[in-house]
Protein backbone atom coordinates (compact mmCIF):
# COMPACT_ATOMS: atom_id res chain seq x y z
CA UNK A 1 0.00 0.00 0.00
CA UNK A 2 1.11 3.54 -0.78
CA UNK A 3 -0.73 6.75 0.17
CA UNK A 4 -2.52 8.43 -2.71
CA UNK A 5 -0.97 11.68 -3.83
CA UNK A 6 -2.46 14.67 -2.05
CA UNK A 7 -3.19 12.97 1.30
CA UNK A 8 -2.17 14.58 4.59
CA UNK A 9 -2.40 13.22 8.13
CA UNK A 10 -3.14 15.85 10.78
CA UNK A 11 -3.82 15.43 14.48
CA UNK A 12 -6.52 16.77 16.77
CA UNK A 13 -6.63 15.89 20.45
CA UNK A 14 -4.23 12.97 19.74
CA UNK A 15 -6.62 11.63 17.10
CA UNK A 16 -5.80 11.30 13.41
CA UNK A 17 -7.62 13.33 10.75
CA UNK A 18 -6.78 12.34 7.19
CA UNK A 19 -7.27 15.04 4.56
CA UNK A 20 -7.53 13.93 0.93
CA UNK A 21 -7.07 17.14 -1.06
CA UNK A 22 -8.07 15.97 -4.60
CA UNK A 23 -11.58 14.98 -3.42
CA UNK A 24 -11.68 17.65 -0.66
CA UNK A 25 -12.60 15.09 2.00
CA UNK A 26 -11.70 14.56 5.66
CA UNK A 27 -11.66 11.23 7.50
CA UNK A 28 -11.31 10.47 11.19
CA UNK A 29 -8.82 7.64 11.80
CA UNK A 30 -8.68 5.67 15.03
CA UNK A 31 -5.35 5.17 16.78
CA UNK A 32 -4.46 1.95 14.96
CA UNK A 33 -5.32 3.30 11.52
CA UNK A 34 -3.39 6.53 12.16
CA UNK A 35 -0.38 4.51 13.34
CA UNK A 36 -0.47 2.33 10.23
CA UNK A 37 -0.81 5.40 8.01
CA UNK A 38 2.33 6.93 9.53
CA UNK A 39 4.23 3.74 8.69
CA UNK A 40 2.89 3.81 5.13
CA UNK A 41 4.24 7.33 4.77
CA UNK A 42 7.62 5.92 5.81
CA UNK A 43 7.40 3.34 2.97
CA UNK A 44 7.18 0.41 5.38
CA UNK A 45 6.04 -2.88 3.86
CA UNK A 46 3.42 -5.22 5.34
CA UNK A 47 5.91 -7.32 7.31
CA UNK A 48 7.53 -4.23 8.84
CA UNK A 49 4.17 -2.72 9.73
CA UNK A 50 3.01 -5.97 11.34
CA UNK A 51 6.18 -6.11 13.44
CA UNK A 52 5.72 -2.47 14.53
CA UNK A 53 2.11 -3.18 15.53
CA UNK A 54 3.14 -6.20 17.62
CA UNK A 55 5.83 -4.23 19.43
CA UNK A 56 3.92 -1.00 19.98
CA UNK A 57 0.55 -2.46 21.01
CA UNK A 58 1.79 -5.73 22.57
CA UNK A 59 -0.40 -7.90 20.34
CA UNK A 60 0.08 -11.24 18.62
CA UNK A 61 1.17 -11.65 15.02
CA UNK A 62 -2.31 -12.89 14.10
CA UNK A 63 -4.01 -9.86 15.68
CA UNK A 64 -1.54 -7.52 13.97
CA UNK A 65 -2.26 -9.18 10.63
CA UNK A 66 -6.00 -8.76 11.17
CA UNK A 67 -5.56 -5.07 12.08
CA UNK A 68 -3.47 -4.49 8.97
CA UNK A 69 -5.93 -6.29 6.70
CA UNK A 70 -8.93 -4.39 8.10
CA UNK A 71 -7.13 -1.06 7.80
CA UNK A 72 -6.07 -1.80 4.23
CA UNK A 73 -9.70 -2.47 3.28
CA UNK A 74 -10.79 0.71 5.06
CA UNK A 75 -8.22 2.94 3.37
CA UNK A 76 -8.98 1.46 -0.03
CA UNK A 77 -12.71 2.08 0.49
CA UNK A 78 -11.95 5.71 1.41
CA UNK A 79 -10.06 6.13 -1.87
CA UNK A 80 -6.81 7.32 -0.26
CA UNK A 81 -4.54 4.48 -1.45
CA UNK A 82 -2.73 4.44 -4.78
CA UNK A 83 -4.75 2.46 -7.29
CA UNK A 84 -7.99 3.11 -5.38
CA UNK A 85 -8.12 6.93 -5.60
CA UNK A 86 -11.43 8.70 -5.07
CA UNK A 87 -12.09 10.55 -8.31
CA UNK A 88 -15.33 12.20 -7.19
CA UNK A 89 -15.56 15.96 -7.63
CA UNK A 90 -16.73 17.98 -4.63
CA UNK A 91 -18.16 20.56 -7.02
CA UNK A 92 -20.55 18.08 -8.65
CA UNK A 93 -24.24 18.93 -8.45
CA UNK A 94 -26.04 17.31 -5.54
CA UNK A 95 -29.32 16.85 -7.33
CA UNK A 96 -30.41 16.73 -10.94
CA UNK A 97 -32.87 19.50 -11.70
CA UNK A 98 -35.90 19.20 -13.90
CA UNK A 99 -34.86 20.37 -17.36
CA UNK A 100 -36.50 23.67 -18.27
CA UNK A 101 -36.69 25.63 -21.45
CA UNK A 102 -35.11 29.10 -21.55
CA UNK A 103 -37.43 31.94 -20.64
CA UNK A 104 -39.61 33.10 -23.52
CA UNK A 105 -41.82 35.49 -21.54
CA UNK A 106 -41.91 39.27 -21.56
CA UNK A 107 -42.12 41.68 -18.67
CA UNK A 108 -45.80 42.37 -19.26
CA UNK A 109 -46.80 39.07 -17.65
CA UNK A 110 -45.72 40.17 -14.16
CA UNK A 111 -48.31 41.86 -11.98
CA UNK A 112 -46.17 42.85 -8.98
CA UNK A 113 -42.60 42.93 -7.73
CA UNK A 114 -41.02 43.04 -4.27
CA UNK A 115 -37.48 43.84 -3.10
CA UNK A 116 -35.45 41.98 -0.48
CA UNK A 117 -31.94 42.21 0.99
CA UNK A 118 -30.06 39.09 2.14
CA UNK A 119 -26.33 39.00 2.91
CA UNK A 120 -24.79 41.16 0.17
CA UNK A 121 -27.52 40.49 -2.38
CA UNK A 122 -30.34 42.84 -3.41
CA UNK A 123 -33.16 40.75 -4.87
CA UNK A 124 -36.07 41.74 -7.06
CA UNK A 125 -38.82 39.09 -7.05
CA UNK A 126 -41.53 39.33 -9.71
CA UNK A 127 -44.90 37.56 -9.47
CA UNK A 128 -47.13 36.57 -12.39
CA UNK A 129 -50.21 35.56 -10.36
CA UNK A 130 -51.78 37.12 -7.23
CA UNK A 131 -51.96 33.68 -5.56
CA UNK A 132 -48.15 33.45 -5.56
CA UNK A 133 -47.63 36.47 -3.32
CA UNK A 134 -49.09 35.09 -0.04
CA UNK A 135 -47.12 31.89 -0.64
CA UNK A 136 -43.76 33.62 -0.98
CA UNK A 137 -43.76 37.13 0.46
CA UNK A 138 -44.46 36.18 4.12
CA UNK A 139 -41.38 33.94 4.04
CA UNK A 140 -39.16 36.84 2.93
CA UNK A 141 -41.15 39.75 4.37
CA UNK A 142 -38.67 40.48 7.20
CA UNK A 143 -36.01 40.99 4.50
CA UNK A 144 -38.05 43.66 2.70
CA UNK A 145 -36.06 46.64 1.48
CA UNK A 146 -38.25 49.00 -0.50
CA UNK A 147 -35.56 51.69 -0.44
CA UNK A 148 -33.46 49.83 -2.97
CA UNK A 149 -32.72 51.88 -6.05
CA UNK A 150 -30.76 49.03 -7.64
CA UNK A 151 -30.93 45.26 -7.48
CA UNK A 152 -28.31 42.66 -8.32
CA UNK A 153 -30.57 39.74 -9.25
CA UNK A 154 -34.11 39.19 -10.46
CA UNK A 155 -36.09 36.11 -9.48
CA UNK A 156 -39.18 35.51 -11.61
CA UNK A 157 -42.11 33.26 -10.75
CA UNK A 158 -44.11 32.31 -13.80
CA UNK A 159 -47.29 30.19 -13.85
CA UNK A 160 -48.74 28.68 -17.01
CA UNK A 161 -52.35 27.94 -17.88
CA UNK A 162 -52.16 24.42 -16.42
CA UNK A 163 -51.01 25.58 -12.98
CA UNK A 164 -47.38 24.55 -13.38
CA UNK A 165 -44.92 27.08 -11.96
CA UNK A 166 -41.39 27.85 -13.08
CA UNK A 167 -38.81 29.87 -11.17
CA UNK A 168 -36.12 31.81 -13.04
CA UNK A 169 -32.99 33.62 -11.96
CA UNK A 170 -32.12 36.44 -14.33
CA UNK A 171 -34.24 34.70 -17.00
CA UNK A 172 -32.44 31.38 -16.56
CA UNK A 173 -34.78 28.54 -15.50
CA UNK A 174 -33.87 26.95 -12.16
CA UNK A 175 -36.84 25.26 -10.44
CA UNK A 176 -40.19 23.81 -11.43
CA UNK A 177 -43.21 22.67 -9.42
CA UNK A 178 -46.66 21.41 -10.29
CA UNK A 179 -48.58 22.80 -7.32
CA UNK A 180 -48.59 26.18 -5.61
CA UNK A 181 -48.33 24.53 -2.18
CA UNK A 182 -44.73 23.64 -3.16
CA UNK A 183 -43.81 27.14 -4.31
CA UNK A 184 -42.76 28.70 -0.98
CA UNK A 185 -39.90 26.32 -0.14
CA UNK A 186 -38.53 26.57 -3.70
CA UNK A 187 -38.64 30.36 -3.68
CA UNK A 188 -36.90 30.45 -0.32
CA UNK A 189 -34.25 28.04 -1.58
CA UNK A 190 -33.64 30.04 -4.72
CA UNK A 191 -33.31 33.32 -2.81
CA UNK A 192 -30.92 31.64 -0.40
CA UNK A 193 -28.78 29.99 -3.11
CA UNK A 194 -28.53 33.28 -4.96
CA UNK A 195 -27.35 35.17 -1.88
CA UNK A 196 -24.85 32.49 -0.87
CA UNK A 197 -23.37 32.26 -4.37
CA UNK A 198 -22.61 35.99 -4.24
CA UNK A 199 -21.18 35.95 -0.70
CA UNK A 200 -17.52 35.41 0.15
CA UNK A 201 -17.21 32.81 2.90
CA UNK A 202 -14.89 29.99 3.92
CA UNK A 203 -17.14 27.16 5.07
CA UNK A 204 -20.72 26.67 6.07
CA UNK A 205 -22.19 24.11 8.42
CA UNK A 206 -25.76 22.86 8.67
CA UNK A 207 -26.53 24.39 12.05
CA UNK A 208 -28.75 26.68 14.03
CA UNK A 209 -26.96 29.83 15.20
CA UNK A 210 -27.97 32.17 18.03
CA UNK A 211 -26.05 35.06 19.57
CA UNK A 212 -25.76 36.67 22.97
CA UNK A 213 -24.39 40.01 21.80
CA UNK A 214 -20.75 38.95 22.17
CA UNK A 215 -20.57 35.35 20.96
CA UNK A 216 -22.74 32.91 19.12
CA UNK A 217 -23.69 29.35 19.92
CA UNK A 218 -23.44 26.87 17.07
CA UNK A 219 -26.04 24.08 17.00
CA UNK A 220 -25.00 21.63 14.26
CA UNK A 221 -27.42 18.77 13.72
CA UNK A 222 -28.93 16.53 11.11
CA UNK A 223 -32.51 17.09 9.90
CA UNK A 224 -35.09 15.85 12.39
CA UNK A 225 -32.92 16.45 15.46
CA UNK A 226 -35.01 19.36 16.77
CA UNK A 227 -32.41 21.97 15.82
CA UNK A 228 -34.88 24.54 14.45
CA UNK A 229 -37.25 24.04 17.37
CA UNK A 230 -34.44 24.64 19.86
CA UNK A 231 -33.24 27.69 17.90
CA UNK A 232 -36.74 29.19 17.90
CA UNK A 233 -37.08 28.63 21.65
CA UNK A 234 -33.72 30.30 22.34
CA UNK A 235 -34.69 33.31 20.22
CA UNK A 236 -37.93 33.64 22.19
CA UNK A 237 -35.84 33.75 25.36
CA UNK A 238 -33.75 36.69 24.17
CA UNK A 239 -30.98 35.30 21.98
CA UNK A 240 -30.11 36.95 18.67
CA UNK A 241 -31.25 35.06 15.60
CA UNK A 242 -28.55 34.30 13.04
CA UNK A 243 -30.05 31.26 11.33
CA UNK A 244 -31.89 28.03 12.00
CA UNK A 245 -30.04 26.08 9.31
CA UNK A 246 -26.66 27.48 8.36
CA UNK A 247 -23.51 28.90 9.91
CA UNK A 248 -21.32 30.80 7.46
CA UNK A 249 -17.72 31.38 8.52
CA UNK A 250 -15.15 33.96 7.50
CA UNK A 251 -11.76 32.37 6.83
CA UNK A 252 -9.59 34.94 8.57
CA UNK A 253 -11.08 34.68 12.06
CA UNK A 254 -13.74 31.92 11.84
CA UNK A 255 -16.48 34.36 12.84
CA UNK A 256 -20.10 33.83 11.81
CA UNK A 257 -22.35 36.27 9.96
CA UNK A 258 -26.15 36.45 10.27
CA UNK A 259 -28.29 34.86 7.55
CA UNK A 260 -31.75 35.31 9.09
CA UNK A 261 -34.07 33.42 6.78
CA UNK A 262 -37.51 32.54 8.15
CA UNK A 263 -37.46 29.74 10.73
CA UNK A 264 -38.64 26.45 9.25
CA UNK A 265 -41.11 24.81 11.64
CA UNK A 266 -42.25 21.34 10.68
CA UNK A 267 -45.93 20.68 11.24
CA UNK A 268 -45.03 18.23 14.02
CA UNK A 269 -43.34 21.02 16.01
CA UNK A 270 -46.12 23.59 15.67
CA UNK A 271 -47.83 22.67 18.93
CA UNK A 272 -44.73 22.85 21.13
CA UNK A 273 -43.62 26.21 19.68
CA UNK A 274 -47.09 27.78 19.77
CA UNK A 275 -46.63 28.60 23.47
CA UNK A 276 -43.79 30.95 22.41
CA UNK A 277 -45.27 32.08 19.10
CA UNK A 278 -49.10 32.10 19.28
CA UNK A 279 -49.35 33.27 15.65
CA UNK A 280 -47.59 30.13 14.37
CA UNK A 281 -50.68 27.93 13.71
CA UNK A 282 -52.13 30.70 11.51
CA UNK A 283 -49.17 30.71 9.14
CA UNK A 284 -49.47 29.09 5.73
CA UNK A 285 -48.58 25.41 5.40
CA UNK A 286 -46.12 24.49 2.65
CA UNK A 287 -45.13 21.13 1.17
CA UNK A 288 -41.36 20.73 0.98
CA UNK A 289 -39.43 18.66 -1.52
CA UNK A 290 -38.94 15.92 1.09
CA UNK A 291 -42.75 15.61 1.33
CA UNK A 292 -42.82 17.18 4.83
CA UNK A 293 -45.29 19.92 5.72
CA UNK A 294 -43.80 23.06 7.25
CA UNK A 295 -44.52 26.65 8.19
CA UNK A 296 -42.00 29.46 7.74
CA UNK A 297 -41.98 31.86 10.66
CA UNK A 298 -40.32 35.27 10.30
CA UNK A 299 -38.01 35.92 13.28
CA UNK A 300 -38.94 38.68 15.73
CA UNK A 301 -37.54 41.95 14.31
CA UNK A 302 -35.72 42.73 17.56
CA UNK A 303 -33.84 39.42 17.38
CA UNK A 304 -32.12 40.11 14.06
CA UNK A 305 -28.58 41.50 14.42
CA UNK A 306 -27.29 44.16 11.99
CA UNK A 307 -26.48 42.75 8.55
CA UNK A 308 -22.71 43.07 8.86
CA UNK A 309 -22.46 41.71 12.41
CA UNK A 310 -19.85 39.03 12.98
CA UNK A 311 -19.60 36.91 16.12
CA UNK A 312 -16.94 34.46 17.30
CA UNK A 313 -18.25 31.02 18.19
CA UNK A 314 -18.40 30.66 21.96
CA UNK A 315 -19.34 26.97 21.89
CA UNK A 316 -20.39 24.18 19.54
CA UNK A 317 -23.38 22.22 20.84
CA UNK A 318 -24.70 19.11 19.10
CA UNK A 319 -28.41 18.80 20.04
CA UNK A 320 -30.43 15.63 19.78
CA UNK A 321 -34.10 15.29 20.68
CA UNK A 322 -34.61 12.29 22.99
CA UNK A 323 -38.20 12.19 24.26
CA UNK A 324 -38.63 10.60 27.66
CA UNK A 325 -34.92 10.93 28.53
CA UNK A 326 -33.18 13.33 30.91
CA UNK A 327 -32.30 16.70 29.41
CA UNK A 328 -28.56 17.11 29.94
CA UNK A 329 -25.42 18.61 28.46
CA UNK A 330 -21.96 17.02 28.47
CA UNK A 331 -18.57 18.00 27.12
CA UNK A 332 -17.43 16.45 23.86
CA UNK A 333 -13.78 15.76 22.93
CA UNK A 334 -12.62 17.78 19.90
CA UNK A 335 -12.01 14.66 17.80
CA UNK A 336 -15.62 13.53 18.30
CA UNK A 337 -16.78 17.06 17.46
CA UNK A 338 -14.90 16.94 14.15
CA UNK A 339 -16.43 13.57 13.33
CA UNK A 340 -19.89 14.94 14.12
CA UNK A 341 -19.31 18.06 12.04
CA UNK A 342 -18.33 15.92 9.06
CA UNK A 343 -21.79 14.37 9.26
CA UNK A 344 -23.57 17.74 9.37
CA UNK A 345 -23.12 18.86 5.76
CA UNK A 346 -19.96 20.89 6.19
CA UNK A 347 -19.62 22.75 2.88
CA UNK A 348 -16.43 24.48 1.78
CA UNK A 349 -16.53 27.47 -0.56
CA UNK A 350 -12.82 27.40 -1.32
CA UNK A 351 -10.26 24.80 -2.27
CA UNK A 352 -8.93 23.33 0.95
CA UNK A 353 -5.26 22.72 1.39
CA UNK A 354 -3.28 21.40 4.31
CA UNK A 355 -2.86 24.84 5.89
CA UNK A 356 -6.59 25.62 5.78
CA UNK A 357 -7.57 22.23 7.19
CA UNK A 358 -5.01 22.69 9.95
CA UNK A 359 -6.57 26.08 10.78
CA UNK A 360 -10.04 24.51 10.89
CA UNK A 361 -8.88 21.78 13.27
CA UNK A 362 -7.11 24.28 15.52
CA UNK A 363 -10.32 26.34 15.71
CA UNK A 364 -12.31 23.29 16.78
CA UNK A 365 -9.61 22.34 19.27
CA UNK A 366 -9.86 25.70 21.06
CA UNK A 367 -13.67 25.93 20.92
CA UNK A 368 -15.65 24.22 23.74
CA UNK A 369 -17.79 21.40 22.34
CA UNK A 370 -20.83 19.76 23.93
CA UNK A 371 -23.49 17.16 23.32
CA UNK A 372 -27.00 18.25 24.33
CA UNK A 373 -29.71 15.68 24.93
CA UNK A 374 -33.11 17.39 24.75
CA UNK A 375 -36.31 16.04 26.22
CA UNK A 376 -37.75 19.15 27.88
CA UNK A 377 -37.34 22.30 25.78
CA UNK A 378 -37.42 24.73 28.71
CA UNK A 379 -34.71 22.77 30.52
CA UNK A 380 -32.57 22.77 27.38
CA UNK A 381 -32.95 26.54 27.05
CA UNK A 382 -31.94 27.02 30.70
CA UNK A 383 -28.82 24.89 30.17
CA UNK A 384 -27.75 26.92 27.15
CA UNK A 385 -28.47 30.23 28.84
CA UNK A 386 -26.22 29.13 31.70
CA UNK A 387 -23.55 28.03 29.23
CA UNK A 388 -23.73 31.40 27.46
CA UNK A 389 -23.21 33.23 30.76
CA UNK A 390 -20.28 30.95 31.59
CA UNK A 391 -18.61 31.70 28.26
CA UNK A 392 -19.14 35.45 28.64
CA UNK A 393 -17.68 35.46 32.15
CA UNK A 394 -14.74 33.19 31.41
CA UNK A 395 -11.21 34.73 31.57
CA UNK A 396 -10.55 33.63 27.97
CA UNK A 397 -13.65 35.52 26.82
CA UNK A 398 -12.63 38.65 28.65
Amino acid sequence: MRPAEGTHLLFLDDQGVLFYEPAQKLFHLNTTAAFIWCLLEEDKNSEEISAELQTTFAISAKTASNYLSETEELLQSLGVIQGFEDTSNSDAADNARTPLEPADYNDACFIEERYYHLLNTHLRVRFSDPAQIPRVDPILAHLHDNTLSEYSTTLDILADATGNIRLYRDRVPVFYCDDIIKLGPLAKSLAWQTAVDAYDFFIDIHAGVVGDGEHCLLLPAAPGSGKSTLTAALVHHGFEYFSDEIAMFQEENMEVCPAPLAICVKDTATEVLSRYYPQLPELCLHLRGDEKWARYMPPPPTSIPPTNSLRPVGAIIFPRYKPGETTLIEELPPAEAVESLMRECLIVDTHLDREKVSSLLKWIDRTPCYRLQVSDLEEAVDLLRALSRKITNSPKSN
Side-chain angles (χ1 to χ4, degrees):
M1 289 191 295
R2 292 292 179 267
E5 186 175 352
T7 49
H8 310 281
L9 181 63
L10 305 166
F11 288 91
L12 174 67
D13 194 30
D14 297 325
Q15 299 290 308
V17 177
L18 192 64
F19 170 49
Y20 183 47
E21 187 169 349
Q24 295 286 281
K25 292 184 177 180
L26 296 172
F27 306 100
H28 176 209
L29 301 183
N30 62 24
T31 301
T32 306
F35 181 79
I36 291 174
W37 184 269
C38 290
L39 297 179
L40 292 176
E41 289 185 336
E42 296 175 9
D43 286 334
K44 301 285 188 181
N45 61 34
S46 297
E47 291 183 358
E48 292 171 323
I49 293 175
S50 179
E52 292 271 10
L53 286 170
Q54 294 174 58
T55 302
T56 303
F57 296 99
I59 56 178
S60 67
K62 181 178 180 180
T63 301
S65 177
N66 288 339
Y67 282 173
L68 183 55
S69 177
E70 292 172 359
T71 303
E72 180 178 3
E73 291 180 7
L74 168 68
L75 296 176
Q76 288 176 356
S77 70
L78 298 181
V80 295
I81 294 297
Q82 289 183 17
F84 297 87
E85 287 89 346
D86 181 356
T87 58
S88 63
N89 188 335
S90 62
D91 294 328
D94 293 329
N95 298 294
R97 293 173 177 168
T98 304
L100 300 174
E101 295 299 323
D104 57 359
Y105 54 84
N106 60 55
D107 292 342
C109 68
F110 297 106
I111 62 167
E112 191 167 343
E113 59 187 41
R114 303 282 173 91
Y115 297 85
Y116 309 95
H117 182 199
L118 179 61
L119 298 175
N120 293 335
T121 298
H122 297 158
L123 293 170
R124 176 177 71 161
V125 180
R126 299 194 294 181
F127 303 90
S128 63
D129 188 303
Q132 298 164 357
I133 299 174
R135 283 282 167 178
V136 174
D137 184 66
I139 299 176
L140 304 174
H142 62 291
L143 304 173
H144 269 166
D145 191 342
N146 292 323
T147 65
L148 290 178
S149 58
E150 297 181 356
Y151 50 86
S152 52
T153 302
T154 295
L155 307 182
D156 289 332
I157 304 173
L158 187 63
D160 61 27
T162 65
N164 293 325
I165 302 171
R166 287 173 168 79
L167 289 81
Y168 298 82
R169 178 168 49 205
D170 292 330
R171 294 186 174 271
V172 176
V174 181
F175 289 135
Y176 160 88
C177 66
D178 57 5
D179 196 316
I180 199 168
I181 62 174
K182 303 176 183 177
L183 174 60
L186 290 179
K188 178 192 176 190
S189 177
L190 184 55
W192 171 240
Q193 289 179 13
T194 301
V196 169
D197 288 346
Y199 191 75
D200 184 22
F201 68 98
F202 175 39
I203 61 172
D204 71 61
I205 297 173
H206 186 231
V209 187
V210 296
D212 61 10
E214 295 186 22
H215 307 86
C216 64
L217 302 181
L218 199 66
L219 307 170
S225 61
K227 163 180 54 62
S228 293
T229 302
L230 178 59
T231 300
L234 290 167
V235 170
H236 171 77
H237 284 84
F239 281 87
E240 297 171 306
Y241 177 67
F242 276 62
S243 176
D244 74 323
E245 61 180 312
I246 192 167
M248 301 180 65
F249 291 83
Q250 302 295 308
E251 181 176 359
E252 182 177 354
N253 47 27
M254 292 300 287
E255 292 184 331
V256 181
C257 68
L261 286 167
I263 302 172
C264 178
V265 181
K266 295 187 182 70
D267 196 32
T268 53
T270 299
E271 183 177 354
V272 67
L273 284 178
S274 293
R275 56 178 160 166
Y276 305 136
Y277 303 97
Q279 77 279 17
L280 183 56
E282 306 302 320
L283 298 179
C284 190
L285 263 176
H286 304 266
L287 184 60
R288 306 193 320 179
D290 58 4
E291 300 300 318
K292 289 185 171 62
W293 291 93
R295 293 177 170 87
Y296 293 95
M297 182 177 66
T302 56
S303 72
I304 302 176
T307 300
N308 296 321
S309 300
L310 290 172
R311 299 276 191 277
V313 176
I316 304 171
I317 303 106
F318 295 89
R320 176 64 64 179
Y321 178 55
K322 292 283 187 179
E325 303 289 337
T326 302
T327 297
L328 55 86
I329 190 169
E330 55 185 359
E331 289 193 46
L332 196 63
E336 288 189 38
V338 170
E339 188 173 358
S340 296
L341 280 178
M342 295 305 102
R343 294 196 298 265
E344 307 308 337
C345 303
L346 186 149
I347 302 169
V348 181
D349 193 43
T350 184
H351 182 83
L352 286 178
D353 54 28
R354 182 171 184 161
E355 182 179 352
K356 290 176 180 176
V357 172
S358 179
S359 297
L360 175 62
L361 297 181
K362 288 178 181 177
W363 167 72
I364 295 173
D365 191 37
R366 67 175 182 263
T367 303
C369 301
Y370 301 87
R371 181 185 292 111
L372 176 66
Q373 180 171 285
V374 182
S375 177
D376 184 281
L377 197 54
E378 281 289 319
E379 292 178 3
V381 168
D382 287 343
L383 288 173
L384 293 187
R385 292 171 77 181
L387 177 61
S388 176
R389 290 193 295 269
K390 177 182 176 182
I391 292 169
T392 300
N393 295 328
S394 67
K396 184 182 295 187
S397 174
N398 297 327

